[in-house]
Amino acid sequence: MKSLVSISVIIFSLALLIPGVTQPILTIQGSIEKAELVETGVNMFTESLSESSRGNARSMMDMAISMFGFDTIEGEVEVFYKTRSIVDTVNELYQSNNVIVAGLVGLFSVVFPALKLSLLLVICLPCFSRQQQSVIKVMSAIGKWSMADVFVVALIIVYMAGNASAGMGELLKTTAQFETGFYFFSAYCVFSIASQWLVSRFFINTST
C-alpha cells in the first residue's frame, strides 16, 4: 500500500511536469496610448531639426495634427505580445547565443526534476531493491538542488518581464498574466515535495 501511494504520487508529479515545461507559463502584453505615440513622434521629429526651425515646424505639426483629428485620438495600440513556456525560453536563449544559460535553465528546470522523480520511482519499485542503496546515495547528492527548478522559473519570469520593457521607456504599459504552464509547474512542485517526503519516510528512513 505504501509503495502504491508513493508510486502514484511520483507518476502524477511526472504527469504535471510535462505540461509544466511545455505549456506557456507567462504572457506579457505591451501597449501605448495612441495620443502619447503621436506626441512622441512629433517631439522626435522636431528635435531632429535645427533650433531655429523647431518652432515653425512644431506649429505646422500641431496644425496638421488638429486638422486630421489626431489631437482627439483615443485608445491604445498593442506593440508587444510575448508568451513563452520553459522549453520555449530555453530555445530562445539558445538561438540568441546564450548557450550556457540555456543549458543551465534546461538542466535545472527539465533534466534535474525528471531525474529526481525517476530516481524516487526506482526506490519504490521492488524490482530495483538491489540498487536501492546506490540510488539513495545519488538522491542525497542531488538533494541540494531540489528547489533549483522553482528558482529557475522565477528567473524566467523576470527575464521575460525585462525583455518586455527594454527600450520602450515609460510609454509602454505592460500587463502580465500567468498561463496554464505556471499552474502545472506549481502543482508539480507541490507533488514533487510530497513524493520526496513519502519516499523518505517509507523507504529511505526505514532502510538506514
Side-chain angles (χ1 to χ4, degrees):
M1 183 63 181
K2 294 178 180 178
S3 297
L4 182 61
V5 172
S6 301
I7 292 172
S8 299
V9 175
I10 293 170
I11 293 176
F12 190 60
S13 300
L14 280 168
L16 290 169
L17 177 63
I18 295 172
V21 298
T22 57
Q23 295 296 311
I25 60 172
L26 186 71
T27 294
I28 298 180
Q29 293 175 288
S31 60
I32 297 178
E33 290 283 348
K34 293 179 180 179
E36 292 184 7
L37 193 60
V38 171
E39 181 66 21
T40 301
V42 172
N43 290 335
M44 291 177 63
F45 175 75
T46 54
E47 288 176 3
S48 66
L49 303 175
S50 61
E51 293 186 8
S52 58
S53 57
R54 285 180 184 175
N56 292 333
R58 179 71 196 198
S59 299
M60 292 177 63
M61 291 292 293
D62 288 341
M63 186 181 300
I65 289 172
S66 178
M67 183 182 301
F68 290 104
F70 290 147
D71 56 339
T72 58
I73 195 170
E74 296 180 353
E76 297 179 345
V77 57
E78 185 178 271
V79 296
F80 189 94
Y81 182 89
K82 193 170 189 178
T83 180
R84 290 288 185 274
S85 67
I86 294 177
V87 172
D88 291 335
T89 304
V90 172
N91 183 58
E92 182 179 337
L93 288 168
Y94 178 79
Q95 295 295 332
S96 60
N97 295 323
N98 293 308
V99 180
I100 295 178
V101 179
L104 290 174
V105 171
L107 181 66
F108 289 121
S109 61
V110 181
V111 177
F112 267 17
L115 177 61
K116 179 178 67 176
L117 291 174
S118 299
L119 292 175
L120 290 174
L121 189 60
V122 168
I123 294 174
C124 296
L125 295 174
C127 57
F128 292 102
S129 57
R130 293 182 179 180
Q131 293 81 17
Q132 191 178 81
Q133 290 302 319
S134 299
V135 175
I136 290 174
K137 291 180 180 179
V138 176
M139 279 295 302
S140 300
I142 67 173
K144 64 181 70 176
W145 306 105
S146 59
M147 294 302 291
D149 42 12
V150 180
F151 179 67
V152 166
V153 170
L155 286 180
I156 290 174
I157 293 173
V158 173
Y159 169 76
M160 289 182 62
N163 278 355
S165 58
M168 294 293 182
E170 298 180 355
L171 287 177
L172 184 67
K173 296 180 180 179
T174 58
T175 56
Q177 178 180 345
F178 288 119
E179 299 292 350
T180 54
F182 174 82
Y183 298 106
F184 274 114
F185 198 85
S186 299
Y188 145 74
C189 292
V190 173
F191 280 91
S192 175
I193 293 171
S195 61
Q196 193 165 1
W197 180 81
L198 288 171
V199 172
S200 177
R201 181 178 180 182
F202 295 149
F203 297 93
I204 298 178
N205 290 340
T206 57
S207 63
T208 55

